Amino acid sequence: MDTLGLPTLVLSGVAAGAYALYALRGKSDAPSIPQIPMLQFFKSMRSSNEFSQFTTSALPNGVGLVKVPFVGKAYLLRHSPEAARVFHSSSEATMSFLEGTRTFTRHFVPASNLRLSNLETIGLLAKTLSPDNLIRYMPDMAAVVRRHLDRLPESGTIDTFPYIYDVVVELVITIFLGFQSPDVVAQIADAIRVSDLEQYLRNPIYALFPSLTKTRRTAAHESLKAVLAKIIEERRAKGIVRDDLLDRAVEKYQGDLDLVLSTLWIGIFAATVNQFASTAWMLYHASSSPDVKAKLDEEIAALGDDYTRFLEKAPYLEATLRETIRVHLFGMSARRTMEDVQVGNVTIPANSLVLFLTATLHMNEEYYPQPTEFRPERLLDESGECPHEALAKEFKLLAFGAGKHPCTGMRLASTIIKIVFSILHTSLDYSFPEPPVMPRFAPFGVQRPAKPLLMNYKKVHTHA
């Protein structure tokens, strides 16, 4: 805070408070479209089901408005086949994913990050995460998980979410940067935590003073530039070529450390933030349902250590992963309209921020009877396969997006979750003594518990 100065903080607080009062009033600039008061909108985010029920009743025609501090007016779309088609299948020239993302992040992200085009990052990630490269990375991914397991005592209790975060972030760093020392891994992991906007959205201080968020992220960005420079120099001195994200970014940006680091930061953050939480929830649900656990035991045992078979030969594991995300993902996707867009009988003007409320699909009883129940079987077809690609094309399951804007790293994300989950699931006899305490406010990604979710474990076997 000292870097901002007291006068700046006071003025920012007054401005933020005034804006918040304006946003809370609930009056609409478009009387024919219902506007949800911001406080009610965010209070409903205690669970996907509560959020879905609230927004469905508040938006009888499927479209509404909310005013978000520091962002402005946003149009809300609850799920319908037409709204999903318009939102997810429109081109960048009609509804821009890139501009929607920037609208949300510009108050929280260092200016150096905003120099980077998301399209450039997506292109580099797509090349790095090709199916062949992904298979090449699998042994390293498994080695990281087993190394963390080896550090555990034979039995004990762990805080599930932080433990799996540490596993996943080191795994992702290994994919994009190669094996690094524990000190480097810890420094990068701390920086990724700083990047996680959910911690700021839950904290009223950061919500009122977004410049504090940008200051913290800028400091982390600068400290990592020195780390990255050493890794690049070491590779050059030793002639190391891995053809990973670091090599590709260095080649593309010709040594511009800001752009190289921004690319890696985005890649590591995107591959970590929801994957560790999804893995933790999968462990919880597997432990809580003997039937689910038994089916996973049988399928994973049949696959053995050939993790390449996870890509095609693990339908129940795939269904469990997708059901976990369905139950726990809020997933409000953002777009900015580049021209007028028609949704039903509502015209959304050009240059408007639009949020698609994924929970209104995933908690829709028409598609998912008893939607709060965890049942992977609901995502299996008559042949026992999990047709997740077909469900995404029909906009019935949006675990990793759909249409023209699917998640670039969805193959990596699902592989990370499957490998980490399967190794932990088969290496530990585990249980959760207490149910999770859910937060009063769970923002945009996969939910995380408000209090530590403790897991009791005992090792059942070790790997050489």
Side-chain angles (χ1 to χ4, degrees):
M1 288 190 181
D2 294 339
T3 59
L4 297 176
L6 183 60
T8 301
L9 289 178
V10 171
L11 289 175
S12 298
V14 172
Y19 192 95
L21 288 173
Y22 167 70
L24 288 169
R25 289 186 308 167
K27 293 183 179 180
S28 174
D29 296 335
S32 61
I33 301 176
Q35 178 164 315
I36 301 177
M38 184 191 68
L39 187 58
Q40 285 183 263
F41 181 66
F42 284 105
K43 280 181 66 177
S44 71
M45 291 184 179
R46 294 190 179 100
S47 72
S48 295
N49 191 49
E50 181 178 343
F51 182 60
S52 175
Q53 291 178 346
F54 172 74
T55 52
T56 296
S57 63
L59 309 176
N61 295 320
V63 181
L65 287 165
V66 67
K67 288 177 180 174
V68 183
F70 303 104
V71 174
K73 179 175 67 178
Y75 283 81
L76 306 173
L77 295 184
R78 68 173 170 83
H79 174 76
S80 70
E82 181 185 11
R85 177 186 58 77
V86 171
F87 187 87
H88 292 286
S89 294
S90 294
S91 68
E92 278 287 303
T94 302
M95 296 184 74
S96 174
F97 162 77
L98 302 180
E99 293 304 320
T101 302
R102 284 177 177 149
T103 298
F104 262 115
T105 60
R106 68 179 186 271
H107 294 289
F108 300 92
V109 175
S112 57
N113 289 62
L114 295 176
R115 289 173 54 204
L116 187 68
S117 164
N118 281 9
L119 285 176
E120 293 175 339
T121 307
I122 289 170
L124 288 174
L125 284 171
K127 292 176 182 177
T128 304
L129 302 177
S130 67
D132 287 344
N133 278 339
L134 195 57
I135 290 172
R136 180 164 63 92
Y137 298 140
M138 284 182 177
D140 289 347
M141 296 163 72
V144 170
V145 184
R146 288 173 179 152
R147 190 160 60 243
H148 277 266
L149 270 174
D150 290 342
R151 296 171 190 161
L152 286 177
E154 284 300 308
S155 62
T157 301
I158 58 175
D159 188 349
T160 314
F161 278 71
Y163 176 77
I164 295 180
Y165 174 88
D166 289 339
V167 175
V168 171
V169 76
E170 182 174 345
L171 183 156
V172 173
I173 290 168
T174 301
I175 292 172
F176 291 151
L177 291 170
F179 286 105
Q180 300 296 329
S181 69
D183 288 344
V184 171
V185 169
Q187 190 167 357
I188 297 174
D190 288 343
I192 300 304
R193 286 189 181 94
V194 171
S195 299
D196 187 357
L197 289 181
E198 288 215 5
Q199 63 176 308
Y200 303 117
L201 292 169
R202 287 198 183 108
N203 188 322
I205 294 177
Y206 289 109
L208 290 175
F209 304 110
S211 56
L212 296 178
T213 305
K214 187 181 292 187
T215 299
R216 289 191 68 200
R217 289 172 63 116
T218 300
H221 185 101
E222 290 300 315
S223 70
L224 283 184
K225 280 170 65 175
V227 174
L228 193 61
K230 289 181 180 179
I231 296 173
I232 294 170
E233 183 57 35
E234 181 180 359
R235 285 194 179 190
R236 286 174 178 165
K238 296 182 178 181
I240 298 173
V241 177
R242 293 189 75 246
D243 193 32
D244 54 13
L245 185 60
L246 176 58
D247 281 353
R248 292 176 183 274
V250 169
E251 179 181 4
K252 181 173 182 61
Y253 298 119
Q254 299 181 350
D256 185 327
L257 279 179
D258 276 326
L259 292 180
V260 172
L261 179 55
S262 293
T263 300
L264 288 161
W265 198 329
I266 292 170
I268 294 171
F269 175 75
T272 301
V273 64
N274 285 325
Q275 281 57 260
F276 87 91
S278 297
T279 306
W281 286 126
M282 280 183 70
L283 289 167
Y284 173 76
H285 287 296
S287 173
S288 303
S289 172
D291 185 53
V292 170
K293 183 180 184 301
K295 292 177 180 178
L296 287 168
D297 287 343
E298 180 180 359
E299 185 171 85
I300 294 171
L303 294 172
D305 288 341
D306 183 2
Y307 300 114
T308 61
R309 300 178 68 190
F310 284 172
L311 300 178
E312 298 177 355
K313 302 296 183 182
Y316 196 80
L317 181 62
E318 187 75 55
T320 304
L321 184 161
R322 305 279 168 162
E323 177 74 347
T324 299
I325 296 175
R326 183 194 70 79
V327 170
H328 292 286
L329 176 69
F330 276 92
M332 287 194 295
S333 303
R335 307 276 189 271
R336 182 166 285 282
T337 56
M338 310 309 288
E339 57 189 42
D340 289 357
V341 173
Q342 192 74 23
V343 180
N345 59 0
V346 176
T347 300
I348 300 177
N351 201 35
S352 298
L353 181 65
V354 183
L355 302 177
F356 185 86
L357 310 179
T358 305
T360 60
L361 163 63
H362 289 168
M363 289 290 140
N364 189 325
E365 292 191 356
E366 178 182 348
Y367 300 113
Y368 302 106
Q370 298 176 306
T372 59
E373 291 188 6
F374 186 84
R375 291 188 297 154
E377 291 78 9
R378 71 167 91 233
L379 299 179
L380 299 174
D381 60 21
E382 294 179 355
S383 66
E385 297 298 317
C386 179
H388 57 89
E389 293 181 353
L391 291 169
K393 288 179 180 178
E394 296 169 3
F395 305 114
K396 293 181 179 178
L397 182 65
L398 300 176
F400 295 105
K404 293 188 177 182
H405 304 287
C407 174
T408 303
M410 60 183 170
R411 192 188 300 270
L412 172 65
S414 63
T415 302
I416 289 172
I417 296 169
K418 291 173 189 175
I419 287 179
V420 177
F421 171 82
S422 296
I423 293 176
L424 295 178
H425 180 75
T426 56
S427 301
L428 302 173
D429 179 11
Y430 62 96
S431 62
F432 294 84
E434 299 290 340
V437 177
M438 299 311 295
R440 293 179 61 82
F441 168 57
F444 304 113
V446 175
Q447 291 173 300
R448 302 167 207 179
K451 296 183 179 180
L453 181 62
L454 300 181
M455 182 175 81
N456 296 334
Y457 74 89
K458 181 180 180 180
K459 289 184 179 180
V460 295
H461 63 82
T462 59
H463 292 269

